[in-house]
Amino acid sequence: MDSTLQCHHAECKVKYTVKMLSNVEVVLRWCTRNYHHWKRKNLAFASSYATLADSSSPNTFWFNRSIMKHEKQQQKYDSFLVLDFEATCERGRAIEPQEIIEFPCIKINVHTGEIDDIFHQYIKPKLIPIITPFCTELTGIMQEMVNNEPYFEETFFQFQEWLEETKCFNSGNRSIFVTSGDWDLQVMLPKQCQLSNMDIPFEMKQWINIKKAFAAATGYFPRGIIDMLTKLQLSHQGRLHSGIDDCHNIATILKALIGRGFVFEETSHLKLNKI
Ligand code: AMP
Ligand code: MG
């Protein structure tokens, strides 16, 4: 049976007709936009995610073939530390200095996809201590939720203690932070550490941007968390822009990609000239 494959990339929109599903891999190789992200070993995974539309069905769908056991590769990490900061904000303009007001981190066991531990702390902003109505509307964080909470400095010490206690980077454990986008660790943490006169720990200077990993896995660069969940046919839980809910939803995406055999690699590292 002939099948029509539509490339996921918005700019590409090319349709290919293939005779056999194994040719999907070849089609994905033709599309070059994200090709440099692709690793040979992930091509089988990518091909399982091609959007396949046959002539009898006008609707495209995600071809959800689970990867065979023997095709599964060894993951490089033991834990994923899913992190999603929320910060002070205002509608249509930047707040300067912007400060972190929610600090959630979920530790995921890479081998099972299950949650091992959670760190979660709301933070009182120090320099501009007002949570704007826009910020409350966006994040669900109200003034009363931060008034009696610690400042960033204390929270960041507690977080580093939590990393030690939960053995994220000691006892031979290999962990890496996971965020949706590069903003959390490329922009917000460096700005906050500068304001607080604190060092960024070495372990937070490289991370997996799940949007880049998703693109490497599927050939489609997602707009955000909801887009990834939709493509995976999974439902969104809680509230978008709540840090802890965003972490849970990122964890759901990770678990789905782990289950399908995608091998994760670091996608991003701190570039000092971008701060
Ligand atoms: P997110 O991780 O997407 O939930 O957003 C992180 C932070 O980015 C939020 O806490 C806000 O400070 C800022 N932010 C996100 N979306 C907007 C927006 N539409 N307008 C202003 N700031 C935003
Ligand atoms: Mg968020």
Side-chain angles (χ1 to χ4, degrees), residues 169-218:
F169 294 99
N170 42 15
S171 308
N173 279 319
R174 302 162 304 170
S175 301
I176 188 161
F177 283 91
V178 181
T179 55
S180 179
D182 289 322
W183 173 82
D184 300 79
L185 293 176
Q186 178 57 58
V187 178
M188 195 59 236
L189 185 66
K191 276 207 284 194
Q192 181 67 67
C193 283
Q194 210 161 32
L195 288 175
S196 300
N197 199 19
M198 294 177 90
D199 290 331
I200 303 171
F202 168 78
E203 293 80 6
M204 301 185 88
K205 291 184 179 176
Q206 55 282 310
W207 59 93
I208 293 170
N209 172 347
I210 194 165
K211 293 202 281 185
K212 289 181 184 167
F214 192 94
T218 66

Side-chain angles (χ1 to χ4, degrees), residues 98 191 246:
Q98 195 176 23
K191 276 207 284 194
D246 286 351

Side-chain angles (χ1 to χ4, degrees), residues 10 18 24 53-54 57 66 72 78 91 131 143 169 172 176 203 214 218 224 232 267 269-271 273 275:
V18 290
V24 173
D54 68 38
S57 157
S66 281
K72 278 202 174 177
D78 300 308
R91 190 190 304 276
I131 305 292
Q143 190 71 49
F169 294 99
I176 188 161
E203 293 80 6
F214 192 94
T218 66
L232 291 165
T267 64
H269 64 271
L270 185 64
K271 297 180 189 81
N273 59 347
I275 298 174

Side-chain angles (χ1 to χ4, degrees), residues 47-204:
S47 63
S48 76
Y49 268 85
T51 304
L52 186 70
D54 68 38
S55 47
S56 62
S57 157
N59 299 322
T60 57
F61 62 91
W62 288 81
F63 184 69
N64 236 340
R65 181 174 67 91
S66 281
I67 249 170
M68 309 269 277
K69 264 224 153 58
H70 68 266
E71 289 174 298
K72 278 202 174 177
Q73 305 275 327
Q74 195 73 36
Q75 293 285 353
K76 296 185 168 150
Y77 300 99
D78 300 308
S79 305
F80 289 141
L81 301 169
V82 182
L83 179 86
D84 189 274
F85 295 136
E86 301 305 325
T88 49
C89 54
E90 180 55 292
R91 190 190 304 276
R93 67 177 180 86
I95 285 196
E96 275 302 334
Q98 195 176 23
E99 295 170 85
I100 296 174
I101 53 174
E102 185 181 359
F103 195 138
C105 185
I106 298 184
K107 184 182 180 207
I108 307 282
N109 181 326
V110 176
H111 310 294
T112 63
E114 300 299 328
I115 296 176
D116 266 354
D117 219 315
I118 298 181
F119 178 90
H120 186 212
Q121 182 66 57
Y122 289 105
I123 297 174
K124 186 175 177 172
K126 196 185 257 182
L127 300 170
I128 305 178
I130 304 299
I131 305 292
T132 63
F134 171 79
C135 188
T136 300
E137 196 185 308
L138 185 79
T139 65
I141 301 171
M142 296 180 281
Q143 190 71 49
E144 309 86 74
M145 291 165 67
V146 300
N147 279 348
N148 296 320
E149 297 299 338
Y151 289 130
F152 175 80
E153 292 78 1
E154 187 182 335
T155 302
F156 204 37
F157 277 126
Q158 282 171 359
F159 177 66
Q160 292 180 64
E161 274 174 14
W162 178 83
L163 290 177
E164 290 243 335
E165 283 161 16
T166 53
K167 300 189 172 36
C168 289
F169 294 99
N170 42 15
S171 308
N173 279 319
R174 302 162 304 170
S175 301
I176 188 161
F177 283 91
V178 181
T179 55
S180 179
D182 289 322
W183 173 82
D184 300 79
L185 293 176
Q186 178 57 58
V187 178
M188 195 59 236
L189 185 66
K191 276 207 284 194
Q192 181 67 67
C193 283
Q194 210 161 32
L195 288 175
S196 300
N197 199 19
M198 294 177 90
D199 290 331
I200 303 171
F202 168 78
E203 293 80 6
M204 301 185 88

